[in-house]
Structures are given as structure tokens and as C-alpha cells.
Amino acid sequence: MSGHDSDVARAREVLEAGGLVAIPTETVYGLAALISHAEAVRRIFAVKGRPVDHPLIVHVADVGRARVLSRNWTPAAERLATRFWPGPLTLVVERSRDVDPVVSGGLDTVAIRCPAHSMTLELLRSLSVPVAAPSANRFGRVSPTSARHVLDDLGADVDFVLDGGDCEVGLESTIVDCTVDPVQILRPGAITEEEIRVVLNATAPAAGPSRASGMLESHYAPRCRVVATSDREEARRLSSRPKARLIDAAHDPESAARSLYADLRRCDADGIAEAVVLLPPATGIGLALRDRVLKAAAGR
Ligand code: TXA
Ligand code: MG
């Protein structure tokens, strides 16, 4: 067995014994438990310090395993899953009785996604039930994009960390509510509204107010103050003050998305008081990037 194979085997053992495993995905690391172990799922909420009415995302190996988790798998869900999975897209659908309400915070719906990461896909295929996994950070803090970030945040509270390297996208998945028609984007991510519209052959999906906890004002926050601006001159001026640092998210938004959370964590580690983020235009991944940065900047 290669190192990767034995790590995946170990992750499987820990999950099947009712433990918590941090799993790599293309977006951010997740903190996983088998959905059949209600006690383990409850421990996820406890470890994160997350309110129990904030639903988790169920991670599956393929579309077939998603369909059975819903009592109304819609044509829109089918088309989106078939086109974008494995990938950074989460679908909210009506929950079937196979999904314990503890997973979805007592809601009648459940959020499901199939992550694009070879080790995690191998793990999910080897399990007979899916896992529930929120991002592997304490509630309200910056999401982890490396195994090191998970250990820094959760330490001994996680039973095993499956190290799959740095996350390739770096921002949480796009969430689409498929229980309404037209579908509604609850959280922007790497899969854009434009791409979704093309697949559904639809007019713009509404990106209105959302029920997702990621929409809470003070989410994704580092300890340092975050200031956001679209004005390069202003960014330069603000970041030249003592204990300030510039994060340029405008020059190359894809790469900025990949490194944003690591950059914010580094600001904290280096004792920076103010991270000044130069915002990208609101197109493509820029929309998700702006969303996360503005949330980190909100109310501080
Ligand atoms: O990229 C991702 O989605 C990552 C990786 C680990 O897959 N996961 C993630 O999970 O970001 P978390 O728990 O940090 O955020 C999940 C979001 C929350 O905002 C939650 O409110 C929303 O998904 N959500 C979950 N179930 C929902 C439901 N049934 N209806 C509406 N929103 C839901
Ligand atoms: Mg999160």
C-alpha cells in the first residue's frame, strides 16, 4: 500500500468506529463523521462550537448516492450534479428519511455535494454510508485550506487528519437551493451563476437573501481587522500604515481565492493589525472572493 492508500484506509477505520476525520477537498478541509453515527455528528457541532440548527453538508462519492438521500431529487438537481460533480457545488434538496435530522439542523432539506479530491473520493467510495462535513474550523473563523490549518485550529479534537495537500480552489462551494423554481444561489463559489444558468437553460437564478449560515455577517473572520477596497491607490495608502498588510485579490483572482485564507491566517501569525484587501471585479470567482472578504470585514 502506498502512503496515500494506507492513510485513506486509516481514515475509513476511524470513521467507521464513530470518530471524526478531517478530509481534504478542492474547496476547503471538512470535518467529517458518518451520517449513520448521530453521536459523532453531534460531536462535530460540539468541536466546532457551531449552533445545532446550522445544517451540515453531506459528502457523497457520486450522483447515485446523492439521489437516495432525497425524497424529491429534481430535474435541476440531476442536471447540475451530472454536469459539475465531482466539483465545488452543493445542492440543497428535500431530505429523505435516511438522513438523520441532526445532520441538517432539523430542516426538511439536506445539502449534498461530491468533492473533487482523489483521496476523499477514494475514501467515500470505500464507505457504505456518506459523511456529513462542515468546514474544519471553529465556528466563525477562517476555513482551513491545508492539513496544518486544521491541526492549528482543532488540534486533538479531531481523531485523524487525512492530508491531501493544499486545497486547489480555496473558497467554499457554491450552494444552490434546488427546492425552489427557479433555483436560488445561497452562497457564491467557484461554480458561477453564469455556468449554472447555461446548464439549466434558464434565465438568471435569483441570488437573493439566504438561509445559509455562511451568510451570517461575521463569518470567515481572522483576528486582525479586515479592510476592503476596490481602489488600488487607497489600498496602497492604507496598507502603508504600521502593522498593516496588503492582500492584492484583484491582480489574479483565481490565485487570490486559493491563498486568501492562508494569507489571513499569516496576518494573524505575524501580528498584523489590519489586512487591507484590494477587491477583484464582481465576475467569475471574483464574486465569491468579494463575498468572503466583505464578510470578514463586516462589523469590525
Ligand atoms: O466547500 C464546502 O462546501 C465545504 C467543504 C468542506 O465541502 N463545506 C462547507 O461547510 O463550507 P460549512 O458547514 O462551513 O457551510 C455549509 C453551509 C452553511 O452555510 C449551511 O447553512 C449551508 O451550507 N447549508 C447546509 N445545509 C443546508 C440546507 N439544508 N439548506 C440551506 N443551507 C444549508
Ligand atoms: Mg464553514
Side-chain angles (χ1 to χ4, degrees):
M1 267 201 303
S2 76
H4 277 184
D5 288 346
S6 57
D7 286 350
V8 169
R10 174 84 188 117
R12 177 187 168 184
E13 277 168 25
V14 172
L15 287 168
E16 287 177 341
L20 302 188
V21 172
I23 55 169
T25 82
E26 78 282 37
T27 59
V28 302
Y29 274 70
L31 181 62
L34 289 189
I35 63 167
S36 52
H37 282 252
E39 269 322 303
V41 175
R42 281 194 195 93
R43 220 181 112 211
I44 292 179
F45 288 94
V47 164
K48 279 194 60 116
R50 178 175 174 122
V52 293
D53 61 351
H54 282 220
L56 308 180
I57 296 176
V58 176
H59 293 64
V60 295
D62 50 53
V63 186
R65 291 182 222 208
R67 287 188 200 109
V68 298
L69 300 175
S70 176
R71 60 185 175 79
N72 183 19
W73 184 255
T74 64
E78 178 67 21
R79 288 171 88 151
L80 291 172
T82 308
R83 169 65 182 82
F84 294 114
W85 284 0
L89 177 71
T90 295
L91 303 174
V92 174
V93 291
E94 284 180 37
R95 177 172 61 82
S96 81
R97 280 208 204 104
D98 291 353
V99 184
D100 195 304
V102 70
V103 169
S104 60
L107 297 174
D108 292 334
T109 55
V110 60
I112 311 173
R113 91 176 190 98
C114 173
H117 190 291
S118 59
M119 288 168 76
T120 291
L121 281 174
E122 194 185 319
L123 171 65
L124 292 172
R125 283 191 204 107
S126 76
L127 295 164
S128 54
V129 280
V131 302
S135 51
N137 52 287
R138 307 269 182 210
F139 186 64
R141 310 304 303 187
V142 176
S143 293
T145 53
S146 71
R148 170 47 47 197
H149 294 166
V150 176
L151 286 168
D152 287 348
D153 273 11
L154 304 180
D157 285 344
V158 53
D159 300 312
F160 184 68
V161 179
L162 183 59
D163 188 345
D166 292 347
C167 300
E168 283 179 7
V169 174
L171 298 179
E172 302 82 352
S173 61
T174 306
I175 303 181
V176 175
D177 185 354
C178 295
T179 68
V180 291
D181 188 10
V183 303
Q184 184 180 20
I185 295 179
L186 301 180
R187 179 175 72 183
I191 303 291
T192 63
E193 177 180 336
E194 186 78 75
E195 292 175 284
I196 290 166
R197 194 185 313 150
V198 167
V199 169
L200 296 183
N201 216 342
T203 49
S210 145
R211 309 189 301 264
S213 81
M215 299 293 169
L216 281 183
E217 285 276 287
S218 75
H219 227 63
Y220 315 107
R223 281 187 297 275
C224 65
R225 216 164 81 86
V226 176
V227 179
T229 173
S230 301
D231 179 338
R232 186 170 288 278
E233 269 320 302
E234 187 185 25
R236 198 166 298 157
R237 184 170 52 74
L238 292 175
S239 61
S240 65
R241 298 191 296 202
K243 288 194 154 202
R245 179 179 290 172
L246 176 66
I247 298 177
D248 183 349
H251 172 66
D252 178 350
E254 306 274 336
S255 148
R258 208 174 301 128
S259 63
L260 176 70
Y261 291 148
D263 290 343
L264 291 174
R265 281 167 186 268
R266 206 165 300 121
C267 283
D268 283 345
D270 294 348
I272 293 293
E274 193 165 80
V276 179
V277 184
L278 179 61
L279 294 169
T283 57
I285 190 80
L287 207 63
L289 204 39
R290 291 172 67 99
D291 172 72
R292 305 310 191 275
V293 170
L294 291 171
K295 250 146 221 158
R300 295 169 135 247

